[in-house]
Amino acid sequence: MREREDKPKRIIEAALFEGNIGPVTARELVAMPSAEWGMLRDRITDYRQGRPVGLLCRCAMCGDPVFIRARKKNNVPLPLFSHFQGGGLHCPWHSGSNADPNELREAQYQGKQESQAHRLLCEQIEAMAKLDERYLASSVNAYRPPTESEYGRFPDVAVTWRDFPECVFEVQLSRTFQTEISARCTHYEREGVALVWVLFGFDPQHDAVPQNFIDVIRRHRGNAFIIDRDSVAAAHDQRTLVLKCYPQNAHGRFDPPRLVRLDELVFPKDSLPYMEDRISKALFERIDAARRPCFAFLKTINGVGYGVERDSEERDALISALRAIAPQLSYWESARENEENAVLRLVACVFSLIAEANGKRRIYGTKQPNVVAMLNTWLHTREDIQRCALIFEYLLQRSPLTHLLAATLGEHIARAKGIMEGNLVLEHEPEWSVLSHLVPEIFHPLIRDELRYLSALPPWAQSIDGVS
Ligand SMILES: [Zn+2]
């Protein structure tokens, strides 16, 4: 066995996601926070299950579909792309045989699937549901006939209350397979039933939370639900179903638990219920932190003529934050000062547009009365802004201001594109990196896509007709 371990392992160096995510390298994947690659992993599985939120991902070498495998290294799960069983046979990046999920599954179910404790926990959930005065019906491990699907299923616990979403509880053992998790999510989503996973054997103090628990916790937006003596006692006090929830924090660890009534959970239309959305929260905290020096600077030039050119501490701080993202801020300007002015002027334009899209009019770095006058003037007189025509077009197509493309601003953008043809700022250039750092909701395809998946894309980053 040792010999095999020492052999260098071939890995899939990059994979291509369909739609607007595009290529992701193995290196980028490993660098992602676990909630981020985990979400991609879920969505690849979802695709196999035919869910609309699913994503197809292909090996960048052979084009065969791939999935994201989590491999533990020093107890930290590291993601890597992997061909499906039977795929990538002629791929130079193929790393040998994968375990056949069907065989693994058989091995799992031949073991006694339902332990005594599992059964007791299911009955406990049902008993709590019966305490509520809205209780109409429930079952444990009974066949639930389909309404929308071809086949029914055997949910661990099914609960119907008056004037309340139909709920299904699955008591999850650490061994449940990811394909099985996704299959159940898909099934109950199609059936319009709220699915709550109750973790059995979850230990928040333990460093190595099993991967399949992590997957389920993420699908519940960073909430781990369990049932214990506290929740059962609270259920009897409050005469309703009470769960214990451990919210996951930004470090992947778990905050102290809170008791939460089933009827206090948020029930999104097309994903699993949650107490508190920790995943979007962490994402927005990262975005806010990236934007902080930018807002500090913009505040100093709100409505100020030639504001971009004025020296200030805030300006210096923003410039050094941006240089950390793109050491050279523009390939167009040769002088450092012009390079800085150009990128800050672009930032002023973009944030004036976003303020307008957000219904809060702010004009940064000029005394112009509104953002259209600001842009039309600069698109007319400034080469550095003319070069950014594609950026403005991209932004407007992804904002509620899309209609401005059909008005004078659209004409000025078209004109600038004509003048600057061959010299327009293209997507691999620093200006785009800067904006994808400052405004990922619009300029970072992966984060934009995640926010959409979490139903958390802000209205100012959505076009009214729903383009991309
Ligand atoms: Zn391949």
Side-chain angles (χ1 to χ4, degrees):
M1 290 309 281
R2 278 217 72 89
E3 277 172 30
R4 274 187 65 160
E5 276 173 16
D6 293 343
K7 260 193 197 165
K9 286 209 176 72
R10 286 182 199 156
I11 66 157
I12 297 180
E13 305 279 358
L16 291 163
F17 284 88
E18 65 170 354
N20 46 19
I21 294 182
V24 173
T25 64
R27 192 186 294 266
E28 285 170 328
L29 189 71
V30 168
M32 280 179 196
S34 63
E36 224 167 275
W37 64 255
M39 214 171 335
L40 292 175
R41 177 176 142 101
D42 293 345
R43 293 179 65 187
I44 292 171
T45 316
D46 290 346
Y47 179 85
R48 307 284 287 189
Q49 306 283 348
R51 299 182 80 198
V53 294
L55 273 179
L56 174 61
C57 183
R58 295 175 182 282
C59 171
M61 180 66 85
C62 70
D64 278 354
V66 295
F67 65 100
I68 296 170
R69 172 193 292 274
R71 184 163 285 163
K72 286 256 164 82
K73 197 173 174 188
N74 302 327
N75 258 334
V76 179
L78 285 179
L80 63 148
F81 294 114
S82 183
H83 294 106
F84 284 96
Q85 175 69 12
L89 290 181
H90 306 289
C91 180
W93 287 344
H94 188 60
S95 54
S97 78
N98 298 328
D100 180 345
N102 287 325
E103 280 173 24
L104 287 173
R105 198 172 154 191
E106 239 168 62
Q108 180 194 15
Y109 287 117
Q110 269 167 9
K112 208 167 180 316
Q113 193 209 352
E114 201 186 47
S115 66
Q116 189 64 17
H118 180 262
R119 178 84 194 177
L120 286 173
L121 206 48
C122 293
E123 286 168 2
Q124 190 67 262
I125 294 171
E126 186 185 37
M128 286 197 284
K130 285 182 175 171
L131 293 169
D132 195 284
E133 56 96 18
R134 291 163 291 186
Y135 176 86
L136 294 176
S138 62
S139 62
V140 171
N141 201 19
Y143 183 70
R144 181 190 174 280
T147 56
E148 300 296 326
S149 322
E150 204 177 332
Y151 303 102
R153 276 184 178 263
F154 290 85
D156 284 343
V157 187
V159 172
T160 311
W161 284 352
R162 194 175 58 250
D163 302 326
F164 198 77
E166 183 184 351
C167 289
V168 155
F169 295 84
E170 294 283 354
V171 173
Q172 200 204 337
L173 310 165
S174 57
R175 291 170 303 153
T176 311
F177 283 102
Q178 219 222 356
T179 45
E180 193 58 34
I181 295 167
S182 179
R184 290 188 210 181
C185 292
T186 310
H187 178 80
Y188 292 117
E189 181 192 309
R190 201 184 295 138
E191 294 282 309
V193 174
L195 171 58
V196 180
W197 292 93
V198 175
L199 306 181
F200 177 54
F202 169 72
D203 177 4
Q205 306 307 327
H206 202 270
D207 276 347
V209 175
Q211 186 61 40
N212 289 321
F213 278 0
I214 293 171
D215 291 336
V216 160
I217 293 165
R218 184 177 51 253
R219 285 177 186 269
H220 278 298
R221 312 271 178 118
N223 293 184
F225 294 110
I226 65 156
I227 286 184
D228 65 355
R229 287 207 325 222
D230 294 343
S231 53
V232 173
H236 283 277
D237 274 0
Q238 303 180 34
R239 311 295 302 166
T240 191
L241 202 158
V242 177
L243 300 159
K244 184 177 266 188
C245 176
Y246 288 86
Q248 197 170 21
N249 60 35
H251 311 290
R253 305 202 165 256
F254 293 90
D255 288 348
R258 301 213 301 266
L259 292 170
V260 61
R261 298 160 57 110
L262 179 65
D263 61 12
E264 287 170 335
L265 298 183
V266 179
F267 291 84
K269 200 170 81 54
D270 44 15
S271 54
L272 303 191
Y274 58 89
M275 178 179 78
E276 193 187 314
D277 182 349
R278 287 299 180 101
I279 297 218
S280 317
K281 192 173 163 236
L283 199 53
F284 280 118
E285 278 169 2
R286 275 197 292 141
I287 296 174
D288 286 347
R291 254 197 302 257
R292 209 162 289 136
C294 182
F295 278 133
F297 166 68
L298 290 173
K299 223 170 136 185
T300 68
I301 63 162
N302 186 5
V304 176
Y306 297 95
V308 161
E309 291 84 351
R310 284 158 50 128
D311 277 330
S312 69
E313 264 176 45
E314 289 83 359
R315 187 184 191 277
D316 292 346
L318 175 58
I319 288 291
S320 54
L322 297 185
R323 286 215 189 268
I325 302 300
Q328 190 181 348
L329 293 171
S330 171
Y331 296 155
W332 177 254
E333 308 289 345
S334 51
R336 229 178 135 79
E337 193 193 332
N338 296 341
E339 193 191 313
E340 291 174 1
N341 287 343
V343 83
L344 292 181
R345 202 170 286 121
L346 170 64
V347 167
C349 290
V350 164
F351 279 89
S352 301
L353 277 171
I354 290 172
E356 181 79 16
N358 203 16
K360 296 173 189 160
R361 182 167 289 181
R362 307 246 194 291
I363 307 298
Y364 296 114
T366 161
K367 287 186 186 303
Q368 293 284 353
N370 61 61
V371 72
V372 170
M374 169 191 195
L375 275 162
N376 283 351
T377 305
W378 282 356
L379 279 166
H380 201 69
T381 57
R382 295 201 157 273
E383 282 190 343
D384 56 341
I385 292 299
Q386 286 170 352
R387 289 187 70 236
C388 298
L390 295 175
I391 293 178
F392 298 126
E393 190 175 60
Y394 188 92
L395 186 158
L396 290 169
Q397 284 164 348
R398 287 156 183 80
S399 91
L401 303 177
T402 315
H403 62 274
L404 294 179
L405 283 173
T408 57
L409 181 53
E411 287 167 27
H412 279 83
I413 289 174
R415 189 176 155 276
K417 276 162 76 174
I419 296 171
M420 278 293 155
E421 203 186 333
N423 293 301
L424 291 164
V425 180
L426 301 178
E427 289 198 30
H428 59 275
E429 296 191 41
E431 287 87 343
W432 287 88
S433 316
V434 162
L435 291 175
S436 106
H437 172 72
L438 293 176
V439 194
E441 295 94 332
I442 288 177
F443 293 99
H444 193 306
L446 184 60
I447 292 181
R448 179 174 170 80
D449 202 62
E450 274 176 26
L451 289 170
R452 197 198 304 278
Y453 175 70
L454 296 165
S455 310
L457 194 62
W460 55 260
Q462 297 182 40
S463 73
I464 289 160
D465 54 4
V467 177
S468 54

